[in-house]
Amino acid sequence: MSCAFVILRSSGQRLECTADHPNLLTTLEAHNLCIEFQCREGYCGLCRTRLIKGEVHYTEKPLAFLQKGEILPCCCLVTEEIEIEL
């Protein structure tokens, strides 16, 4: 994965996504951001986040239903600069 950034709408903080982060959730965790999730316990959908700008790539098909403008950080990669609302 090439270098990409995530902008947090609420704070304007800009987070770098690196190759050692297999998905957006691990990027958020690496920057000490609290995000609720239960995917590691077998439940999908709790980490649902609003995508304001940009696109993500899914490494696997999400199990949870997504509305337009929503993403699941647990199973997506950031391949270009995006803006999200946590």
Side-chain angles (χ1 to χ4, degrees):
M1 172 173 61
S2 61
C3 183
F5 290 91
V6 178
I7 299 169
L8 305 179
R9 173 165 255 187
S10 60
S11 66
Q13 186 177 4
R14 194 171 180 203
L15 314 175
E16 184 177 6
C17 298
T18 61
D20 57 328
H21 301 146
N23 55 49
L24 177 54
L25 179 60
T26 57
T27 297
L28 297 172
E29 290 176 317
H31 289 87
N32 297 317
L33 293 169
C34 293
I35 181 168
E36 291 188 50
F37 64 90
Q38 289 185 334
C39 48
R40 294 177 186 147
E41 288 82 36
Y43 302 101
C44 188
L46 188 59
C47 69
R48 183 172 299 156
T49 303
R50 187 165 165 235
L51 179 66
I52 307 296
K53 180 181 96 175
E55 293 184 22
V56 296
H57 168 74
Y58 283 93
T59 56
E60 55 192 74
K61 185 178 178 178
L63 297 175
F65 178 77
L66 295 173
Q67 300 283 339
K68 184 176 179 174
E70 293 179 333
I71 60 171
L72 291 176
C74 65
C75 57
C76 72
L77 293 174
V78 178
T79 56
E80 63 181 57
E81 184 170 285
I82 65 169
E83 184 175 349
I84 61 173
E85 188 173 296
L86 288 180

